[in-house]
Amino acid sequence: MIRLAAAVTTVVPPESTQQAVGYPSLFLLVLIGALVPVVPTGALVSSAAVVAVHQTAPFALALVFGTASLAAFCGDAALYWLGRRGLGSKNGSRWLEAIRSRAPEDRLAQAQEKLAEHGVAVLVLSRLVPAGRIPVMLACLLARWPLRRFCRGNLPACLAWAVTYQVIGILGGSLFREPWEGVAAAVLLTVLVGAAPTAWRRVRRSTPAHRSR
């Protein structure tokens, strides 16, 4: 029994080691995911929240929230700054083209219309809607918003985003005794939340009433 406990101790790193590696890794991955929107950042935050629920550290969840929201904010600000540089140059930039390629014309037109009507509120909500961040960001770029104005609206957006996906992780971590079970449940729920709007749009397009319009 003593040998088994010693083996488990050597396999599973202590909480201090997990935190020393986990929070910088979470920050870096969310930052990269904000710049290159292919990393499932929502699932990362939910998974980190699951692990934090099972830790004894009193401020683990607060650190996950602070790390995720700060990384998302910095990544969005950097991407917006790069996009503004692309607008100001004659040949554009690969970052601006990457933003344009991920914003379909219909979504961009919708984002521009809502941005003109509601302003910063649309920016706040865009991070809570799957695939809504990039079209709204491009709409802000085309509207020539300065970086400072974008950051003022993007700060509460990043805070709300971090809270939303952290709550998903907390629910997953609370329902299961083992952390890996909670992580699996949180990732699955995050995927479902992200896929639901796309599935709903496809269903609407395939309905006879929608096609007849």
Side-chain angles (χ1 to χ4, degrees):
M1 182 64 69
I2 296 177
R3 290 180 179 178
L4 178 61
V8 171
T9 303
T10 57
V11 172
V12 179
E15 285 190 13
S16 58
T17 304
Q18 294 178 16
Q19 293 172 2
V21 175
Y23 295 126
S25 300
L26 177 63
F27 181 89
L28 182 61
L29 289 173
V30 173
L31 180 67
I32 294 174
L35 290 170
V36 186
V38 294
V39 179
T41 53
L44 289 172
V45 176
S46 298
S47 301
V50 171
V51 176
V53 167
H54 290 275
Q55 290 182 343
T56 58
F59 302 109
L61 287 172
L63 287 172
V64 169
F65 170 73
T67 301
S69 56
L70 179 61
F73 178 80
C74 292
D76 285 354
L79 184 59
Y80 192 80
W81 179 77
L82 291 169
R84 279 183 57 84
R85 288 195 63 186
L87 283 176
S89 63
K90 293 182 179 180
N91 299 323
S93 70
R94 63 186 183 90
W95 291 102
L96 182 59
E97 290 302 319
I99 297 174
R100 287 183 181 274
S101 66
R102 293 185 174 274
E105 291 297 329
D106 57 335
R107 300 291 300 278
L108 175 59
Q110 186 180 16
Q112 288 177 311
E113 181 181 352
K114 291 184 177 180
L115 187 68
E117 292 178 358
H118 305 288
V120 174
V122 177
L123 183 60
V124 174
L125 294 175
S126 67
R127 257 203 169 270
L128 301 180
V129 177
R133 179 176 70 101
I134 295 299
V136 173
M137 180 182 291
L138 182 57
C140 293
L141 284 170
L142 296 178
R144 301 288 178 173
W145 277 25
L147 179 61
R148 182 177 299 180
R149 183 181 182 186
F150 174 81
C151 288
R152 283 201 303 265
N154 193 52
L155 178 58
C158 293
L159 296 176
W161 170 82
V163 166
T164 300
Y165 283 98
Q166 188 167 358
V167 168
I168 294 176
I170 291 173
L171 292 176
S174 301
L175 292 175
F176 300 94
R177 296 181 59 183
E178 296 295 331
W180 71 267
E181 295 175 336
V183 168
V187 170
L188 179 60
L189 185 57
T190 302
V191 171
L192 291 176
V193 169
T198 302
W200 174 247
R201 285 194 298 269
R202 289 180 179 177
V203 169
R204 288 191 61 189
R205 290 174 183 173
S206 62
T207 55
H210 184 77
R211 286 181 294 182
S212 62
R213 293 178 182 177

